Amino acid sequence: MTANTKGLRLDHFSRVVFFTGAGMSAESGVPTYRGNGGVWDAYDWESCACQRAFDHDPERVWDFHDMRRQMTAACEPHAGHRLITELESAAPNTVVVTQNIDGMHQKAGSHTVHELHGSLWRVRCSGCGAIEDNHEVPLSSRRHSCGAYWRPDIVWFEDSLRLPTIAKAIAAIEACDLLVSIGTSAVVFPAAELPLVAARAGATLVEINPEDTPLSEVYHHCLRMTASEGLKRLADDL
Ligand code: OAD
């Protein structure tokens, strides 16, 4: 493993996957989940981010998610997000696989984004299963026209990942020749082990994160810097 990316030219790769976590959005002002100032420092997921909590008190769960929508809506993509979209324009096989629910990659202009954990900006009817995009802040009605509550279309704790989404993500990762992991603590499964799929397929792996993670030793190159700094470094080495 090396911190040196000299000689690592992005244009030597034809199928690049950016695998992102909350640290990707940190420089946009969206807090990460773990560590100082993290969302799960201030809030207890068992009372606001699982189906049991929603069944018990949907209004409280929506108060939490309306707060997160309001906070996220005020944030803008940073230079790192924009660099990924530029690379996507130059190399259309580029794919983003994200654990983030904030929609920041799409706001920056990325087109192929597989959202493993769903989206803050979609709602799903807990009664009839209807799904809609919704960017209202706050949500104007917490109930669908059928009378049942909307719930955020997010993969909460104890939920299963959506099979079509994980299948597309795995297909992209199996086919990639470079995987760049950015800003994830690599502790939430099954997402955390996706970089191993790329490793088994023989791809080159780069980690961008100011801190070590449990998966760091799997990567060929580790850049101990922020998302925007690391992406700029990769682009500058072109
Ligand atoms: P975490 O909050 O667990 O980890 C964030 C990671 O980002 C840490 O490893 C930090 O070191 C790193 N980091 C912090 N600032 C950074 C920066 N400026 N640039 C780059 N990296 C930085 O977030 P995730 O790994 O995404 O689930 O968490 C995984 C899942 O757990 C999330 O998707 C979320 C949560 O519960 C749902 O929302 C359903």
Side-chain angles (χ1 to χ4, degrees), residues 1-2 196 199 205 207 212-222 224:
M1 191 251 283
T2 169
L196 297 176
L205 272 71
E207 178 177 65
D212 271 347
T213 73
L215 226 62
S216 291
E217 63 188 33
V218 169
Y219 290 85
H220 302 105
H221 308 270
C222 290
R224 293 282 161 254

Side-chain angles (χ1 to χ4, degrees), residues 21-23 26-27 32-34 40 99-101 117 154-155 157 183-186 188 208-211 213 225-227:
E27 291 162 279
T32 59
Y33 292 95
R34 296 171 182 81
W40 303 140
Q99 296 163 81
N100 298 343
I101 57 174
H117 292 162
I154 291 172
V155 178
F157 286 93
T184 176
S185 57
V188 174
I208 301 175
N209 194 317
E211 295 176 13
T213 73
M225 49 187 78
T226 70

Side-chain angles (χ1 to χ4, degrees), residues 4 42 63 72 127 133 139 152 168 192 196 207 216:
N4 180 10
D63 288 346
T72 304
D133 288 338
L139 191 68
K168 281 185 220 157
L196 297 176
E207 178 177 65
S216 291

Side-chain angles (χ1 to χ4, degrees), residues 41-238:
D41 244 10
Y43 296 91
D44 167 23
W45 67 262
E46 287 193 287
S47 57
C48 57
C50 67
Q51 187 64 43
R52 285 181 291 122
F54 186 78
D55 293 341
H56 176 67
D57 190 347
E59 291 292 334
R60 180 174 178 179
V61 171
W62 263 117
D63 288 346
F64 170 74
H65 285 87
D66 262 340
M67 176 278 294
R68 296 214 62 209
R69 281 176 161 231
Q70 185 171 11
M71 187 268 299
T72 304
C75 296
E76 294 299 327
H78 58 73
H81 291 107
R82 289 193 294 276
L83 219 140
I84 290 175
T85 60
E86 282 165 29
L87 290 169
E88 188 183 330
S89 306
N93 287 327
T94 303
V95 171
V96 176
V97 175
T98 189
Q99 296 163 81
N100 298 343
I101 57 174
D102 56 25
M104 211 57 76
H105 287 294
Q106 293 91 330
K107 202 169 183 182
S110 282
H111 294 295
T112 310
V113 183
H114 302 308
E115 296 175 307
L116 297 172
H117 292 162
S119 175
L120 257 182
W121 306 112
R122 270 196 319 272
V123 290
R124 185 168 89 229
C125 178
S126 59
C128 69
I131 294 180
E132 284 181 10
D133 288 338
N134 182 301
H135 285 258
E136 294 166 353
V137 179
L139 191 68
S140 61
S141 168
R142 292 177 173 183
R143 287 182 186 271
H144 183 221
S145 52
C146 77
Y149 269 100
W150 288 116
R151 60 157 276 176
D153 191 25
I154 291 172
V155 178
W156 282 327
F157 286 93
E158 303 169 346
D159 287 350
S160 299
L161 266 65
R162 292 275 186 80
L163 277 180
T165 309
I166 187 85
K168 281 185 220 157
I170 288 175
I173 290 171
E174 277 176 338
C176 79
D177 49 6
L178 174 67
L179 180 131
V180 184
S181 170
I182 308 170
T184 176
S185 57
V187 296
V188 174
F189 290 83
E193 60 197 358
L194 287 179
L196 297 176
V197 173
R200 282 195 290 271
T204 298
L205 272 71
V206 178
E207 178 177 65
I208 301 175
N209 194 317
E211 295 176 13
D212 271 347
T213 73
L215 226 62
S216 291
E217 63 188 33
V218 169
Y219 290 85
H220 302 105
H221 308 270
C222 290
L223 301 178
R224 293 282 161 254
M225 49 187 78
T226 70
S228 68
E229 290 165 349
L231 283 160
K232 183 169 182 323
R233 168 77 69 86
L234 284 182
D236 285 350
D237 281 354
L238 273 173

Side-chain angles (χ1 to χ4, degrees), residues 7-36:
L8 178 72
R9 296 177 52 98
L10 286 178
D11 60 355
H12 282 174
F13 298 93
S14 54
R15 294 176 309 279
V16 180
V17 169
F18 292 98
F19 175 66
T20 63
M24 179 73 215
S25 297
E27 291 162 279
S28 292
V30 183
T32 59
Y33 292 95
R34 296 171 182 81
N36 277 347

